[in-house]
Amino acid sequence: MDLTQGTAKEKNRRAKKMMLWFGIVSLIMGFAGWTSAYIVSSKREDWVSDLDLPSAFYISTAIIILSSITYLLAKKAVAKDNQKMGTLFLVATFVLGIAFISLQFVGFSQMLENGYYFTGPTSNIKMSYVFLLAAVHIAHVVAGLISLSVVLVQQLRNKYTPENMLGLELGATFWHFLDFIWVYLILFMYFVK
């Protein structure tokens, strides 16, 4: 396929999608590095393998999966020119994103209540990694919420139509990526003891 061919609109669309995918691949590399370090560190003598993840992390996993579904439903509604439902599902996605972040902080509180700290004499390397991975993911979800806010404002301005959904599609792709990364991280931390 010759990427130089097509209308200016088609080339712009391809360029924006490619830039998003370059960003996603770089984020994947970052998370791959952190999880690789987790695996290497798990061989240390002071690694504690019998620690359980906070229950709030599991609830937040269900929340972020649900938020991906609502984003998908928003995209489908706009594709069918049902703007009201599209807006409603985008708002639901935003609320679920906030709930996800709130539950992550509840998870941090649960870890602290159990005596696990990020640093200091009562910390351990495993829980430091759990704090790090969750905190870095939260930062990316905040970026996703900013992106979603832009999409929501554009939706309220009636920018998206079945023929013009690029911003909505890019936002949805990034959001689904954030969902995928969290599901990967929670499974990784659960199974790699």
Side-chain angles (χ1 to χ4, degrees):
M1 174 183 197
D2 185 357
L3 296 177
T4 62
Q5 299 299 313
T7 66
K9 185 177 180 180
E10 290 168 337
K11 288 192 250 183
N12 182 42
R13 181 179 181 84
R14 281 195 304 263
K16 288 181 177 178
K17 284 187 174 188
M18 189 164 298
M19 290 305 295
L20 175 64
W21 281 106
F22 282 144
I24 286 174
V25 168
S26 69
L27 292 174
I28 288 170
M29 290 171 28
F31 281 104
W34 289 311
T35 54
S36 295
Y38 183 104
I39 290 170
V40 170
S41 296
S42 71
K43 307 299 181 220
R44 291 172 42 141
E45 289 182 22
D46 60 344
W47 187 264
V48 181
S49 61
D50 61 347
L51 298 178
D52 292 324
L53 293 173
S55 61
F57 280 11
Y58 298 111
I59 298 167
S60 68
T61 301
I63 295 290
I64 201 164
I65 290 170
L66 183 59
S67 75
S68 244
I69 293 168
T70 58
Y71 215 138
L72 180 66
L73 292 171
K75 193 174 149 187
K76 286 185 176 193
V78 172
K80 292 180 180 177
D81 208 21
N82 188 343
Q83 302 301 331
K84 186 176 180 182
M85 287 305 294
T87 302
L88 182 65
F89 283 125
L90 287 173
V91 169
T93 304
F94 190 87
V95 169
L96 291 167
I98 296 293
F100 172 82
I101 290 174
S102 299
L103 283 165
Q104 293 290 286
F105 283 106
V106 170
F108 289 163
S109 294
Q110 289 174 339
M111 289 190 289
L112 294 172
E113 287 169 7
N114 290 328
Y116 302 120
Y117 297 92
F118 182 67
T119 62
T122 59
S123 68
N124 67 66
I125 190 72
K126 180 177 183 174
M127 290 314 281
S128 294
Y129 274 112
V130 171
F131 274 108
L132 173 71
L133 291 170
V136 170
H137 186 263
I138 288 170
H140 289 93
V141 173
V142 169
L145 286 172
I146 293 169
S147 166
L148 178 56
S149 296
V150 171
V151 168
L152 188 53
V153 166
Q154 298 292 46
Q155 172 66 11
L156 291 170
R157 292 181 177 166
N158 296 315
K159 178 178 179 184
Y160 302 122
T161 64
E163 299 78 30
N164 181 19
M165 294 180 41
L166 181 61
L168 182 62
E169 290 170 355
L170 295 173
T173 299
F174 184 59
W175 194 265
H176 297 319
F177 163 72
L178 295 173
D179 181 355
F180 169 79
I181 283 292
W182 180 252
V183 170
Y184 161 74
L185 289 173
I186 196 80
L187 291 173
F188 175 84
M189 291 184 290
Y190 180 82
F191 287 110
V192 178
K193 299 283 185 178

